[in-house]
Amino acid sequence: MLQHATQFSFDRLKFVVPLVLAIGLALSLIKNKAAFTLFSVFIVIASSNSLESYNQHLEKHSSWQSVHTQNYDLFDRVQNQIAETYPQTYSCLKFASNISVRGYANLMVERGIFERKSESWLYLNKGECLGIYLQAQNVYPDLPKYLSISIIDGEGVVTKFKPQQEPVKASIDLELFFLSDSDWEKGISRNQTGFFLPSKPNNLSKFEVGAIVIFKDGSERKIIDTKLNGQYLNVFVEGYILSYEEVGLPSQFKIK
């Protein structure tokens, strides 16, 4: 409660009403003129200090309106793009952000937002909906500044909007998705002739048994089996064990 009260002025304003009543009662009960004068001087000094603090607070938050306006202008551009390019999916949007989310962001987008997530996480967990990723930094305890807002479609294409810049398209970065441990090296199996991919509809339709996979080094292998495991599509090919250094990341593989 103390932390909340020191950060947000509206909490402290709740104390104003009982404080004014207490001061008024104290003044009415003081009969001694010297004590009354001393108490009045104290009130004037306190009021002067409060006015100075208020002006400092205004100066500290002088950029609030410009940040707020920029945030809404940026999101309006994203909304217009969605309405023009993906009108059929406008009701199916999934939001995520890189920072903690407070009510400001929810009111702006009028949706729930997954907090402290990455773009690749949103791509892998958005289902059939469009993903909207909010890249932000906190400039005030209850006001984020949006550095970019990205639209992520089902093919992993990211359309990134930044303030006062034209949108830029890129592919989703899935390098963090392709983990490395005792069994895998960035998505390539160390023990079996295979690799894994996100279990997205486009991958399920392309990486089928019988299809030919073309790797980074130009070599080709035929798919002999696939297994679906949650958000992973395990793909097994003919031949010997694959090497990540030779074939590259699975997201770069092509189908012949």
Side-chain angles (χ1 to χ4, degrees), residues 72-100:
Y72 271 76
D73 286 346
L74 184 60
F75 186 62
D76 283 345
R77 291 171 58 203
V78 173
Q79 283 186 303
N80 292 335
Q81 181 72 28
I82 294 171
E84 292 174 6
T85 311
Y86 311 97
Q88 70 279 8
T89 60
Y90 194 75
S91 60
C92 184
L93 302 176
K94 185 166 287 188
F95 288 81
S97 179
N98 64 307
I99 63 173
S100 298

Side-chain angles (χ1 to χ4, degrees), residues 26-36:
L27 287 174
S28 66
L29 293 177
I30 295 176
K31 304 301 182 181
N32 184 285
K33 186 175 181 180
F36 182 87

Side-chain angles (χ1 to χ4, degrees), residues 204-215:
L204 295 174
S205 64
K206 290 192 300 184
F207 290 84
E208 297 180 317
V209 173
I212 304 298
V213 183
I214 305 175
F215 302 109

Side-chain angles (χ1 to χ4, degrees), residues 11-81:
D11 267 1
R12 299 192 293 277
L13 288 174
K14 298 173 185 176
F15 185 58
V16 169
V17 173
L19 180 63
V20 169
L21 293 175
I23 291 175
L25 178 62
L27 287 174
S28 66
L29 293 177
I30 295 176
K31 304 301 182 181
N32 184 285
K33 186 175 181 180
F36 182 87
T37 301
L38 181 63
F39 193 71
S40 299
V41 169
F42 170 78
I43 292 175
V44 171
I45 294 174
S47 299
S48 176
N49 182 67
S50 296
L51 181 60
E52 182 180 354
S53 298
Y54 175 72
N55 288 330
Q56 291 175 352
H57 184 80
L58 287 181
E59 183 178 357
K60 180 181 177 181
H61 290 77
S62 59
S63 63
W64 179 289
Q65 187 59 48
S66 62
V67 172
H68 170 72
T69 300
Q70 178 179 286
N71 287 343
Y72 271 76
D73 286 346
L74 184 60
F75 186 62
D76 283 345
R77 291 171 58 203
V78 173
Q79 283 186 303
N80 292 335
Q81 181 72 28

Side-chain angles (χ1 to χ4, degrees), residues 77 109 186 215 226 229:
R77 291 171 58 203
V109 305
K186 296 190 176 180
F215 302 109
T226 61
N229 182 20

Side-chain angles (χ1 to χ4, degrees), residues 172-175 178 195-198 248-254:
I172 194 75
D173 182 6
L174 290 176
E175 188 164 354
F178 296 110
F195 54 91
F196 66 76
L197 289 160
L249 278 176
S251 59
Q252 301 170 334
F253 297 169
K254 298 179 180 178

Side-chain angles (χ1 to χ4, degrees), residues 117-124 133 150 152 158 160 172:
K117 301 297 183 183
S118 65
E119 279 189 350
S120 58
W121 180 93
L122 179 58
Y123 170 66
L124 296 169
Y133 190 73
S150 300
I152 306 173
V158 179
K160 190 181 294 290
I172 194 75

Side-chain angles (χ1 to χ4, degrees), residues 148-168:
S148 67
I149 301 179
S150 300
I151 301 173
I152 306 173
D153 68 14
E155 300 297 318
V157 176
V158 179
T159 306
K160 190 181 294 290
F161 290 78
K162 292 185 177 182
Q164 301 175 347
Q165 294 183 27
E166 291 297 314
V168 176

